[in-house]
Amino acid sequence: MSAPRRVLLEPAWLLHHRPWSDTSRILELMTRNHGRVTLFARGARRPGSGLRGVLQPFIPLLVSWSGRADGGTLTGAEIGGALRPLPPAQLMSGFYLNELLLRLLQHEDRHERVFDAYADAIGQLAGAADHRPLRSFELILLEELGYGLELARDATSGEPLEPDRYYHFQPGRGVLAVRDAAGDPAAIRGREVLAVSCGEIGEPAALAAARKILRAAIGHCLEGRGLHSREVMLALRQLEQNA
């Protein structure tokens, strides 16, 4: 169990909150130096509380608390920096990142690189025209959690990937050569797999390959547990297509 402590002005992001009693909230936060923490925000739901406008997702925060990181009491919160608000079209992408962290980060498991990558992703989403910030964040998250992807070599032969050959990505195994890629939607050309392995996903084909690979890898990490935010995004996409 974590030792009692007092923490002052810790950089943080609000991942989720839910009501606790008539006047308070339970907060799930990702902090830079203490990892993921759960805090009780007493009085935060009162109409006159100054915390109501501060404790919002996608806003950089500085938070203070007393007690343990898993069940301590919030003693203060303020906005920790300037950031453009996410446009409505990108809100679900932001909630997707939050849900990933809630599912995959353990309490008090410190990941400064993930914290910084999340801040970068939220900042980029504010002006993004595609999902490249999501894919870049997913690559870093997997690497930091120990699920780094070996994408440069064939998992069976150990040989370097051939740029013009086609491959499948199988979580837990790696990249496997495909004999006949005709009509196979899961097949990915080697040059796109290599681009993903280097984090070079600026081209549309590489971005599409990253989506296939990372969706499979994250699904493997989640052990079959679905993501509500992803389901909502898919439903919204279908509504737009049918409109």
Side-chain angles (χ1 to χ4, degrees):
M1 297 178 66
S2 57
R5 58 164 74 100
R6 290 184 63 85
V7 177
L8 298 176
L9 300 177
E10 169 68 12
W13 294 88
L14 178 65
L15 301 179
H16 182 67
H17 64 88
R18 60 188 185 276
W20 177 58
S21 78
D22 292 336
T23 60
S24 304
R25 292 197 225 171
I26 298 175
L27 311 177
E28 296 287 349
L29 297 152
M30 177 177 61
T31 71
R32 193 169 199 278
N33 297 299
H34 300 274
R36 183 179 150 211
V37 303
T38 302
L39 302 176
F40 292 91
R42 300 177 187 276
R45 299 178 65 202
R46 290 195 180 108
S49 172
L51 294 174
R52 290 173 65 92
V54 174
L55 295 175
Q56 301 292 331
F58 318 128
I59 295 175
L61 301 173
L62 295 173
V63 300
S64 303
W65 73 86
S66 62
R68 305 181 187 277
D70 187 7
T73 299
L74 184 79
T75 58
E78 60 188 72
I79 295 175
L83 193 71
R84 285 187 295 169
L86 285 184
Q90 295 288 17
L91 285 175
M92 285 311 306
S93 293
F95 286 123
Y96 167 73
L97 294 182
N98 288 2
E99 190 174 6
L100 269 186
L101 294 173
L102 287 168
R103 295 290 188 92
L104 295 178
L105 287 186
Q106 300 297 316
H107 275 91
E108 297 185 83
D109 195 0
R110 176 175 172 175
H111 289 284
E112 293 180 9
R113 189 178 175 215
V114 173
F115 183 93
D116 293 341
Y118 176 89
D120 288 342
I122 294 299
Q124 292 168 18
L125 279 172
D130 56 33
H131 288 156
R132 195 181 314 165
L134 301 186
R135 305 291 86 88
S136 297
F137 176 79
E138 290 167 339
L139 281 166
I140 292 172
L141 178 63
L142 289 171
E143 183 178 336
E144 283 294 301
L145 295 180
Y147 295 104
L149 306 177
E150 174 51 69
L151 300 175
R153 294 183 177 275
D154 187 297
T156 300
S157 67
E159 295 294 322
L161 266 59
E162 300 176 23
D164 293 321
R165 191 168 185 180
Y166 283 82
Y167 297 86
H168 284 162
F169 173 73
Q170 293 188 9
R173 294 189 64 188
V175 182
L176 304 171
V178 177
R179 291 185 179 180
D180 183 8
D184 184 349
I188 309 170
R189 193 167 54 166
R191 71 175 71 256
E192 276 73 62
V193 179
L194 290 170
V196 175
S197 73
C198 298
E200 298 173 356
I201 56 175
E203 295 297 323
L207 185 59
R211 182 174 179 271
K212 289 181 182 179
I213 292 168
L214 293 167
R215 173 171 288 186
I218 288 172
H220 182 70
C221 294
L222 291 170
E223 299 178 339
R225 295 171 294 165
L227 292 171
H228 298 303
S229 53
R230 182 182 287 169
E231 294 170 0
V232 172
M233 282 193 287
L234 289 173
L236 290 173
R237 193 174 302 151
Q238 290 175 351
L239 286 173
E240 291 175 356
Q241 291 171 350
N242 296 331

